[in-house]
Amino acid sequence: MEPSLNVLGGPLQPCSNKPLTGFYRDGCCNTGPEDRGSHTVCVVVNAEFLALSKYLGNDLSTPRPEFHFPGLKPGDRWCLCAARFLQAAQEFAAPQVVLDATHARAAEIVPLDLLRAHAVDTQS
């Protein structure tokens, strides 16, 4: 695994344990060489994004019990592939981003300004 720093330069915070997320299924958007999809962007999914993802062939809303996947619903947090986030932003369907839970490697694919533009305030 690579060092767990977020895009703000601080320690990577957990994204979600319910549903359990992350390439390593550790609740964080950690990454490493085997994570070819760069599951590094912690997002808060919404209905528009889930519909786009399903249309593009990655149905994240349907439960898949055989993979211990409950299906996502609006409001759930999820470690999303950086390229998919970028694609969703280009389609005007990007979900909100939790910056302190988004791995620093995400900025290699998604400009930090774009991540900041979709940031959700988690301090409230």
Side-chain angles (χ1 to χ4, degrees):
M1 226 177 340
E2 302 202 0
S4 298
L5 297 175
N6 64 39
V7 291
L8 302 174
L12 185 66
Q13 298 301 308
C15 183
S16 175
N17 286 312
K18 280 191 173 185
L20 187 58
T21 191
F23 179 79
Y24 297 105
R25 290 298 188 260
D26 60 0
C28 293
C29 297
N30 283 306
T31 192
E34 53 280 313
D35 179 15
R36 296 183 191 272
S38 189
H39 296 77
T40 52
V41 182
C42 180
V43 300
V44 180
V45 299
N46 57 36
E48 186 177 29
F49 169 75
L50 290 171
L52 174 68
S53 188
K54 186 174 185 175
Y55 173 77
L56 294 172
N58 187 17
D59 183 359
L60 295 172
S61 55
T62 300
R64 297 290 305 268
E66 67 273 25
F67 298 118
H68 306 288
F69 179 67
L72 301 179
K73 61 187 181 318
D76 284 343
R77 289 184 177 195
W78 192 249
C79 291
L80 186 62
C81 292
R84 180 59 59 132
F85 175 82
L86 186 57
Q87 182 181 24
Q90 292 166 342
E91 296 291 333
F92 304 101
Q96 292 182 305
V97 176
V98 182
L99 293 174
D100 63 358
T102 295
H103 197 283
R105 291 279 311 269
E108 294 176 7
I109 298 169
V110 182
L112 184 55
D113 288 345
L114 184 59
L115 293 169
R116 287 182 186 273
H118 290 87
V120 61
D121 179 14
T122 59
Q123 303 304 314
S124 53

